[in-house]
Amino acid sequence: MSIMENPIPGYYGEVRWCGDINEPVISVNPIDRLDSVSIKDDFKVGKNTSLAFTTDLMSMFHLNCENAEECLEKLIERTHEITKDALFSKNNGAFTGFTEDDLHFIAEVLNVKVK
């Protein structure tokens, strides 16, 4: 909910389908990227998009939802059993906790040093 209600200024969360892992994923992108992405529906803070759902994710082949609210509900239903146990990474077809490689990648993105 934090991404929806308190987005990073100048950025939005994008929920899309990732064919590599055959799962929905979320990324944080600059607002100006919205012009080049096929968004079906979104949540806004004021006039700005805070969380967007791509057309491919919302299609009948993935979440099959009509609007952002329904898509969010289906996404929560789909992921709750996995995320409640803090399994946020998919490795070799199975959900796991973050690996050392995941943590290093996240740290690089955040420009934080990892011990």
Side-chain angles (χ1 to χ4, degrees):
M1 296 306 228
S2 183
I3 290 172
M4 286 177 17
E5 296 168 358
N6 299 301
I8 298 168
Y11 293 84
Y12 74 101
E14 180 182 302
V15 186
R16 61 183 173 79
W17 191 258
C18 178
D20 291 342
I21 62 170
N22 202 33
E23 298 290 341
V25 295
I26 187 168
S27 59
V28 177
N29 298 306
I31 287 286
D32 60 8
R33 178 187 152 118
L34 277 169
D35 294 337
S36 65
V37 180
S38 180
I39 300 298
K40 185 169 180 182
D41 202 7
D42 62 2
F43 290 97
K44 294 188 182 304
V45 171
K47 294 181 181 180
N48 295 320
T49 295
S50 61
L51 184 64
F53 295 91
T54 60
T55 304
D56 65 336
L57 177 86
M58 293 179 71
S59 75
M60 65 182 188
F61 299 112
H62 297 111
L63 289 188
N64 191 24
C65 42
E66 294 297 319
N67 57 51
E69 291 82 11
E70 180 186 6
C71 202
L72 182 61
E73 287 176 27
K74 285 187 174 187
L75 190 60
I76 291 168
E77 287 174 22
R78 178 186 178 104
T79 61
H80 177 71
E81 284 302 309
I82 299 164
T83 59
K84 72 176 178 56
D85 294 327
L87 304 177
F88 301 116
S89 187
K90 192 169 185 184
N91 296 291
N92 298 316
F95 283 96
T96 67
F98 287 128
T99 64
E100 287 299 316
D101 287 343
D102 293 332
L103 294 173
H104 283 284
F105 174 76
I106 292 166
E108 285 179 16
V109 170
L110 295 174
N111 293 315
V112 173
K113 291 184 180 180
V114 177
K115 295 179 181 181

